[in-house]
Amino acid sequence: MATLLQQYERVVGTEVIDQLWQLARLLDGMHIVHINSTRAGGGVAEILHRIIPLKHELGIDTTWETITGDADFFQCTKLMHNTLQGNRIDIPDLLLRHYENINTENATRLKGLLEDADIVFIHDPQPAAMIESIPSRKGKWIWRCHIDVSSPYRPVWKYLRDFVRGYDASVWSLSEFAQRLPHPMYLIPPSIDPLSDKNSDMSEEELANAYARWEIDPDRPVITQISRFDRFKDPLGVVRAYRLVKDFIPVQLVLAGGGATDDPEGEEVFNEVKASAGDDPDVHILLLPPDDHRTINALQRISDIVLQKSTREGFGLTVTEALWKGKPVIGGDTGGIRLQVVNHHTGFLVNTPEGAALRIRYLLKRRDRLEEMGQKAREFVRENFLITRHLREYLTLVVAITNENRDRIELL
Ligand code: UDP
């Protein structure tokens, strides 16, 4: 059985793994601790589940702990999450005091570990206040923010900022997401895991099953958007673009997403999309369970082009996933899509359904360009958006922050 590092080496090459070893050697003797609020569910846990074992294989002494809390605590942190992302709701003082108490309890439980660690990564707002309870900390503390704090509800950000400013550094996914703080701020964009169910290679048989299961004709082009049914993802614009193409090319459209039933607005958007598609047998609107990663993988792979016509987007992991599968992406000219869709190289940036339709027609007519862009797309993700790059940047950050007074650091 190959080690994890060997498995990644097959995907990213020896040089990338060698760089990780070079950085890891500089961290010899250090103890790194990661703290978040859950081991299961959500992107943060998913990334940590991969990054921690990789660190262990690299010989880096790393511990991952999660904080525990009750329903009120998680209600409070959910409110924090939503308000930091823009909802204007005041969090009752009582809940904030409870948030602080739970942080103190967890800090007390983990006191020895936190006091002695050389580096402590605190992920997101849930455990952010623990720092207050560890005044005699020996190491550097880094707050890793995974959420979009570009236009927070100010009172809640001001409250959280009082804790975060005590950290030695913070890490943000995109510059647009960050707020000003009195310490070094680092940008580390998200990544995908090429070995996960969502992204690993699939057999011809699995792909054939996907065509059959969803009654998609393998002999005609397929365009796809995978997204929650959310207005910002502009699914109606996607249907309109499809229609504009359909007048010229016998294309099929797949719109796949989940979560519609427990989100009132999602259900409304889903129904609008259904209505706009009418009884067109070439429009496949699929409601998927949240953990159906293999289906998403297959749908992205059987597509000729993937769309992400959002009018607002954080990073857009669906874009990374599609590019990794060698598909040009036609994406809305917004947010993190701009980092990934290099116009005319890995796809096209568009602002209207008409613009999207024009680009779809162009690529379906120019198969040579479609192939070329797809190859560039995959290499672009290999270079920039895989988990190994994410880990390299974490390690580089640790090297930088623990060698602040040196003007030269040699990698051996
Ligand atoms: N996704 C999923 N099922 C769905 C729709 C989306 O698993 O029905 C996944 C998708 O593959 C991606 C993530 O959820 O990994 C969505 O992340 P993205 O950044 O694209 O958008 P968000 O939903 O966070 O706005």
Side-chain angles (χ1 to χ4, degrees), residues 121-406:
F121 278 98
I122 298 286
H123 295 264
D124 282 341
Q126 296 90 334
M130 280 168 74
I131 191 168
E132 300 268 295
S133 308
I134 312 287
S136 51
R137 51 187 183 273
K138 140 178 170 230
K140 304 275 188 189
W141 282 51
I142 300 160
W143 188 57
R144 189 351 167 183
C145 180
H146 296 269
I147 61 183
D148 174 355
V149 193
S150 50
S151 42
Y153 180 47
R154 297 309 297 180
V156 176
W157 168 244
K158 278 189 181 158
Y159 169 80
L160 188 69
R161 189 182 58 191
D162 282 343
F163 300 115
V164 172
R165 63 194 321 158
Y167 283 72
D168 298 290
S170 54
V171 182
W172 306 79
S173 291
L174 295 179
S175 61
E176 292 88 334
F177 290 5
Q179 289 287 326
R180 196 180 285 278
L181 283 163
H183 57 215
M185 296 167 67
Y186 295 82
L187 295 179
I188 303 188
S191 61
I192 59 166
D193 181 354
L195 304 182
S196 67
D197 280 349
K198 179 83 66 66
N199 297 305
S200 57
D201 291 344
M202 295 189 101
S203 66
E204 287 300 322
E205 193 189 341
E206 277 176 291
L207 299 184
N209 287 343
Y211 281 116
R213 175 174 171 205
W214 304 111
E215 296 178 1
I216 296 166
D217 178 358
D219 298 323
R220 288 188 290 132
V222 179
I223 57 176
T224 296
Q225 175 159 302
I226 311 271
S227 280
R228 291 177 293 106
F229 288 94
D230 180 314
R231 284 190 213 291
F232 287 124
K233 309 282 185 183
D234 198 17
L236 290 173
V238 171
V239 175
R240 169 139 182 83
Y242 155 80
R243 287 212 196 296
L244 292 169
V245 175
K246 185 77 172 179
D247 289 342
F248 301 91
I249 299 172
V251 69
Q252 305 167 87
L253 171 66
V254 176
L255 272 170
T261 45
D262 57 355
D263 167 4
E265 197 178 57
E267 197 171 340
E268 206 176 292
V269 176
F270 176 77
N271 289 334
E272 284 169 20
V273 174
K274 272 268 189 215
S276 95
D279 53 8
D280 185 337
D282 282 337
V283 179
H284 303 265
I285 300 172
L286 316 179
L287 259 189
L288 302 176
D291 55 353
D292 201 354
H293 304 310
R294 291 310 273 180
T295 296
I296 289 179
N297 191 341
L299 290 172
Q300 287 164 334
R301 284 178 195 280
I302 65 170
S303 305
D304 294 82
I305 298 167
V306 170
L307 307 180
Q308 191 55 60
K309 222 209 84 35
S310 309
T311 53
R312 212 175 131 188
E313 189 59 78
F315 180 68
L317 279 171
T318 50
V319 174
T320 335
E321 290 157 13
L323 295 173
W324 177 240
K325 284 146 199 150
K327 309 298 169 180
V329 172
I330 297 180
D333 188 2
T334 182
I337 297 179
R338 290 189 183 131
L339 277 188
Q340 306 185 68
V341 174
V342 183
N343 214 3
H344 297 268
H345 293 280
T346 62
F348 290 107
L349 292 169
V350 296
N351 290 291
T352 58
E354 290 73 17
L358 196 74
R359 297 311 194 185
I360 296 167
R361 283 178 57 193
Y362 170 76
L363 284 178
L364 292 180
K365 291 271 181 224
R366 289 286 309 273
R367 285 281 160 178
D368 55 330
R369 285 286 287 144
L370 189 149
E371 297 294 328
E372 183 195 324
M373 283 170 108
Q375 277 171 24
K376 274 195 200 172
R378 183 164 169 96
E379 291 317 310
F380 189 66
V381 173
R382 200 192 305 275
E383 285 282 315
N384 297 291
F385 296 115
L386 295 185
I387 196 167
T388 35
R389 185 274 308 158
H390 205 151
L391 176 57
R392 186 188 70 215
E393 292 187 339
Y394 275 152
L395 301 186
T396 308
L397 162 57
V398 174
V399 170
I401 206 168
T402 51
N403 287 276
E404 275 167 338
N405 301 324
R406 290 169 61 183

Side-chain angles (χ1 to χ4, degrees), residues 72-106:
D72 282 348
F73 173 75
F74 287 111
Q75 190 207 338
C76 180
T77 56
K78 179 78 192 168
L79 279 171
M80 269 185 190
H81 184 103
N82 291 343
T83 49
L84 290 170
Q85 302 216 105
N87 280 6
R88 300 175 62 79
I89 302 168
D90 287 304
I91 306 180
D93 273 349
L94 210 63
L95 268 188
L96 292 176
R97 295 297 86 75
H98 187 61
Y99 164 79
E100 291 158 22
N101 290 339
I102 294 282
N103 265 267
T104 306
E105 273 173 39
N106 278 283

